[in-house]
Amino acid sequence: MILVLGAGGQVGSELVEKLRAKHGRNKVLATDVRELENQNGPFEVLNALDKEKLHDIVERYKVEEVYHLVALLSATAEKNPEFGWKLNMETLFTVLDLAKDKKIKKVFWPSSIAVFGPNTPRQNTPQQTITDPTTVYGISKLAGERWCEYYAKNYGVDVRSIRYPGLIGYKSLPGGGTTDYAVDIYHKALENGTYECFLQKGTYLPMMYMEDAIRATIELMETSEENVKIRSSYNLGGISFAPEEVAREIKNHIPQFEISYAPDFRQKIAESWPASIDDSAAFEDWGWKLEYDMAKMTEDMLKNLG
Ligand code: SER
C-alpha cells in the first residue's frame, strides 16, 4: 500500500489521483487532518503529529511507501513559527524513523526553493550553494534535507526529495505560500478581469505547472535506487517569471485583463528566494525534463478553470 500524508493539499490531491490511476485506487491510502470529500479509494482522517495513529495505520494497511506532504507553507508558518517548526519537523522524523526501523521501504518528502536565502546566487541557482533561509518554513526544509541525507547515509533509508518551485494547478488551491499569487491570478482573471498582486512587478520566481511537478515526483520515486545520488533534495527549475509576465500571457487570452500591485510581507520572502534554478543534476541522475512552458501552462489553466 502507498500512503499519502496531507492528501487534501495542493500537491496531495493531484498526486493521489495520479497514483490511484497508476496503481489501482485501492492501493493508495489517502490521509488528511480533515475529512475529504470525493475520495474514490481508502481514506483515513489523520493528524500526522499523532505518531501512534500513524504507526497503527502503517501496520494495519501494510504500507510500504510514504509520500509525506504535510507542512505549514512559508507565509502561514511566519504567522505561527513554533507550530510551523513542530509540524514540519516532528512529522518528518516519525516517517524517517518508520523507514529506519524497516516498517516502510521508501519515502518521498518535498523540500522547496525556500531553503535558499538572500546570499544565495539568485540566477540559475546551483544544486550546491549557500543556503541561508530567512523563513521558518525554509529553515525547517533545510534542516529536513540534512536529516534526510543523514538517514540515507547512516541508516540506509531510501528517502527521495525535490525542492519544489512555486506550484501552479487548476485542481486545487495552494495553502499559504509566497508563490500562491501565480494560481490566484488565473482565478481572478476569469472571475473579475482584474488582479491585485501581493508581490511587486519584477519579482522573478521559479514556478512549475502541477502536471510537471507530479510527473517529476513519480519519476524520481520510480527510478532505480542507484540513480538517486542526491539524498538531501534535488533542485527543480521549471519556469521563471515575474507577475507582469504571467499577466501579459493571460492578456493574450483575456485582452481586458488588468493587474495592479499591492505588495505585503510576502514580498520580502520572495526577494530572498532564487529567480531561476539550475536543475541539471535531476536531468543527469534520473532524466528530468520539463514539458510545460508559460504559454502552454496558461492555455491549460484558463481552459480548465473557464
Ligand atoms: N510554494 C511554497 C511557498 O510559497 C514554496 O515552497 O511557501
Side-chain angles (χ1 to χ4, degrees):
M1 181 72 85
I2 297 172
L3 168 62
V4 178
L5 304 173
Q10 195 197 5
V11 177
S13 50
E14 301 213 15
L15 187 67
V16 167
E17 235 183 84
K18 270 273 152 59
L19 289 172
R20 282 187 177 153
K22 214 174 155 55
H23 300 279
R25 53 194 187 84
N26 290 320
K27 293 276 177 352
V28 181
L29 170 64
T31 69
D32 199 82
V33 70
R34 63 201 156 85
E35 193 70 54
L36 298 180
E37 280 158 31
N38 306 326
Q39 283 298 311
N40 64 348
F43 173 81
E44 294 262 356
V45 171
L46 170 72
N47 177 347
L49 286 167
D50 187 343
K51 210 167 149 174
E52 240 170 77
K53 186 162 180 191
L54 179 47
H55 275 248
D56 173 60
I57 282 176
V58 164
E59 213 164 291
R60 235 173 343 112
Y61 286 88
K62 301 192 175 30
V63 171
E64 299 203 326
E65 228 171 84
V66 175
Y67 289 77
H68 173 344
L69 306 174
V70 171
L72 280 201
L73 291 188
S74 60
T76 317
E78 286 313 281
K79 294 191 174 140
N80 197 345
E82 221 173 299
F83 182 64
W85 176 254
K86 182 182 166 71
L87 180 71
N88 296 2
M89 296 312 296
E90 277 183 25
T91 56
L92 174 60
F93 278 121
T94 305
V95 173
L96 287 177
D97 282 334
L98 278 165
K100 178 187 164 198
D101 297 339
K102 310 275 179 256
K103 302 225 162 77
I104 54 175
K105 290 188 180 140
K106 214 193 263 185
V107 177
F108 177 82
W109 174 82
S111 184
S112 159
I113 51 165
V115 297
F116 301 115
N119 293 296
T120 306
R122 294 204 72 218
Q123 303 298 337
N124 212 18
T125 301
Q127 174 69 42
Q128 303 289 355
T129 186
I130 296 168
T131 42
D132 57 347
T134 55
T135 62
V136 174
Y137 175 67
I139 297 169
S140 73
K141 287 296 180 188
L142 180 58
E145 282 189 10
R146 303 320 310 148
W147 280 112
C148 285
E149 191 183 284
Y150 187 93
Y151 271 68
K153 298 237 154 97
N154 293 293
Y155 309 130
V157 165
D158 188 0
V159 55
R160 307 175 181 204
S161 176
I162 284 171
R163 289 171 175 156
Y164 284 140
L167 299 180
I168 300 168
Y170 60 88
K171 287 187 188 147
S172 57
L173 290 170
T178 303
T179 55
D180 294 12
Y181 92 84
V183 178
D184 213 22
I185 192 168
Y186 288 103
H187 288 264
K188 295 293 183 333
L190 286 162
E191 281 161 27
N192 317 322
T194 57
Y195 180 62
E196 188 181 87
C197 186
F198 60 74
L199 295 184
Q200 192 57 269
K201 207 174 168 168
T203 313
Y204 280 82
L205 285 169
M207 305 275 186
M208 184 175 281
Y209 198 42
M210 196 57 96
E211 283 289 320
D212 273 332
I214 298 292
R215 184 170 54 81
T217 305
I218 293 175
E219 282 176 12
L220 174 61
M221 284 298 271
E222 284 184 348
T223 197
S224 60
E225 209 172 336
E226 67 272 11
N227 290 343
V228 190
K229 301 199 176 73
I230 293 170
R231 291 294 176 167
S232 50
S233 191
Y234 278 95
N235 272 8
L236 218 59
I239 327 159
S240 170
F241 60 78
E244 66 274 21
E245 291 181 347
V246 63
R248 210 178 305 134
E249 196 62 49
I250 291 174
K251 253 172 154 352
N252 290 338
H253 301 263
I254 309 171
Q256 70 279 16
F257 175 65
E258 291 296 339
I259 184 169
S260 59
Y261 302 91
D264 65 14
F265 73 102
R266 289 169 281 193
Q267 180 64 31
K268 225 171 110 198
I269 299 177
E271 280 171 13
S272 77
W273 289 352
S276 60
I277 300 277
D278 173 1
D279 58 9
S280 48
F283 170 73
E284 278 153 28
D285 291 359
W286 44 278
W288 166 245
K289 229 169 146 253
L290 191 76
E291 262 177 27
Y292 282 81
D293 61 13
M294 190 157 66
K296 199 169 164 198
M297 170 179 80
T298 299
E299 211 183 299
D300 214 50
M301 280 296 281
L302 293 174
K303 190 178 79 198
N304 282 292
L305 288 174

